[in-house]
Amino acid sequence: MTGVTGTPFLVVDDERLEANLARVADRARDAGVLVRPHAKTHKCVEIARRQIAHGAAGLTVATVGEAEVFAAVDEVREIFIAYPLWVTPAMAGRLISIARIVSLRVGIDSAEGARHLADSLHEAGDGGAPLEVVVEIDSGQHRTGTSPRVAGEVARAAVDAGLDVVGVFTFPGHSYGPGDTRARAADQEITALAEAAQGLRANGIEPRVRSGGSTPTVGFTGQLAAGVLTEIRPGVYPFNDAQQVEIGSCTFDDVALTSSSTVVHRNGSRIVVDAGSKILGADRPAWASGFGRLLEHPEARITALSEHHAVIDFPADAAVPALGSVVRVVPNHVCSAVNLVDELVVDDVRWPVAARGRNS
């Protein structure tokens, strides 16, 4: 590849990327919901533009810094910062600046947080750039979000504080796991959103936005969305990763991003490659079979990971890559891997990871 002087580096299969984008866009269209993909996975302007071209309503981001990066992209007209913000005076000013460029939506999950957001924006001088607000509910992950039972009360407090509440959202992060974990999380997501939406209506607020969805649960959208979901926010789906393969969200044929890595050591059925935690990330959930997988060798397992090396074991009767050969390693968690590099290699082109490091 042009300009690549050595391994490891992250490479994107453009054909698979395009197929993944089209598949989710088609699935959402068939289910009658919008796609507002989470850009924290790719952090890349080129991919954001493709998602918009495939019909995405806008982007979801994890931080104000990511929002600033993507607000500067002409094709992006709507951005959702999908977590309950606790706004400092400086952050309030940044939010107002973003809202003057794009339609901006933010999250809250408490009455206290709502009042603080309203006060902070007022003190900063919102200058005619109002934000939309959605109430986050906990549908089973037990991270952030309020109980669906009190979502209406939180929304009412936000409206009373002068905020424009447009609906509710959740993240079914507990969908990562084996067996029927994905299906159960998808069902809980829909149930929680429906209850929360009814709570808003009981408080005189129409929840026109009912936002959910993750890459593990997006496959259930058509079955469960009717009358509840209005949009989905999957993030991993443009690339997929080893976690998605192992929980059944995709197959190896759907994996579009890998680390191109060289075999630097071989001893019988064990090899070591030059891709460690500083390019793959170190994530390994308890149910995962290793620290990643090899795209062309699904029978192999990454059994140990250090900063710059991965130890990979093959079955005794398997064909083992030769010393000096290049293999494609699938990260467990692609979001972490992308955040470790400055660029992605796509054919003979390099795409900057524009929002890398924008963590606040």
Side-chain angles (χ1 to χ4, degrees):
M1 295 185 179
T2 302
V4 176
T5 59
T7 59
F9 58 90
L10 295 186
V11 59
V12 175
D13 184 314
D14 198 17
E15 183 176 347
R16 291 185 177 189
L17 168 65
E18 191 65 20
N20 292 339
L21 296 179
R23 184 183 308 110
V24 168
D26 290 345
R27 182 173 287 155
R29 193 175 301 112
D30 291 344
V33 299
L34 299 174
V35 181
R36 196 176 302 276
H38 211 313
K40 75 178 180 66
T41 294
H42 57 73
K43 298 180 172 60
C44 182
V45 169
E46 286 77 5
I47 297 176
R49 287 182 172 135
R50 290 200 186 189
Q51 290 174 317
I52 299 297
H54 276 280
L59 296 180
T60 303
V61 297
T63 68
V64 177
E66 289 179 354
E68 289 168 330
V69 170
F70 289 109
V73 179
D74 288 342
E75 294 85 347
V76 177
R77 304 315 310 149
E78 299 181 19
I79 292 177
F80 174 29
I81 305 174
Y83 70 102
L85 293 171
W86 190 263
V87 179
T88 64
M91 186 185 294
R94 293 167 69 193
L95 291 174
I96 292 169
S97 295
I98 296 167
R100 288 173 178 156
I101 303 171
V102 298
S103 175
L104 182 62
R105 184 180 298 167
V106 300
I108 58 170
D109 70 352
S110 68
E112 183 182 10
R115 288 188 287 267
H116 178 75
L117 174 63
D119 290 344
S120 298
L121 293 173
H122 178 73
E123 290 172 7
D126 61 19
L131 313 180
E132 292 184 343
V133 175
V134 281
V135 178
E136 183 179 13
I137 58 170
D138 177 12
S139 58
Q141 187 186 21
H142 308 316
R143 186 175 65 182
T144 53
T146 193
S147 166
R149 294 189 302 277
V150 300
E153 298 171 22
V154 173
R156 183 74 259 166
V159 170
D160 291 346
L163 297 173
D164 180 19
V165 177
V166 299
V168 293
F169 79 104
T170 192
F171 173 58
H174 57 306
S175 56
Y176 283 77
D180 65 349
T181 300
R182 293 164 54 226
R184 285 189 290 106
D187 184 64
Q188 291 165 352
E189 169 190 8
I190 298 301
T191 300
L193 284 171
E195 182 180 357
Q198 187 55 39
L200 264 65
R201 294 187 186 102
N203 280 270
I205 303 163
E206 178 55 35
R208 64 180 186 271
V209 173
R210 300 179 297 277
S211 178
S214 63
T215 297
T217 59
V218 75
F220 302 93
T221 297
Q223 299 167 245
L224 301 171
V228 180
L229 279 175
T230 62
E231 69 176 32
I232 54 174
R233 308 187 318 275
V236 174
Y237 77 97
F239 299 143
N240 291 308
D241 55 24
Q243 290 184 151
Q244 300 299 329
V245 172
E246 295 203 350
I247 66 177
S249 297
C250 70
T251 70
F252 280 112
D253 290 338
D254 303 314
V255 173
L257 181 144
T258 55
S259 171
S260 187
S261 311
T262 300
V263 179
V264 296
H265 175 81
R266 177 178 171 180
N267 183 6
S269 60
R270 170 173 289 183
I271 63 172
V272 177
V273 301
D274 61 356
S277 63
K278 287 189 173 179
I279 191 142
L280 298 176
D283 285 8
R284 182 185 180 180
W287 46 262
S289 66
F291 290 95
R293 301 290 290 274
L294 294 192
L295 191 60
E296 287 87 3
H297 302 277
E299 75 281 5
R301 295 293 185 273
I302 301 178
T303 54
L305 199 67
S306 53
E307 289 182 76
H308 296 285
H309 298 91
V311 176
I312 306 171
D313 287 328
F314 286 75
D317 58 349
V320 180
L323 187 64
S325 61
V326 176
V327 297
R328 291 191 288 176
V329 183
V330 183
N332 264 345
H333 187 184
V334 70
C335 307
S336 298
V338 170
N339 196 48
L340 292 168
V341 299
D342 293 323
E343 58 193 12
L344 306 174
V345 178
V346 189
D347 296 328
D348 288 333
V349 179
R350 297 186 180 204
W351 290 350
V353 183
R356 183 193 178 198
R358 299 299 298 268
N359 294 323
S360 61

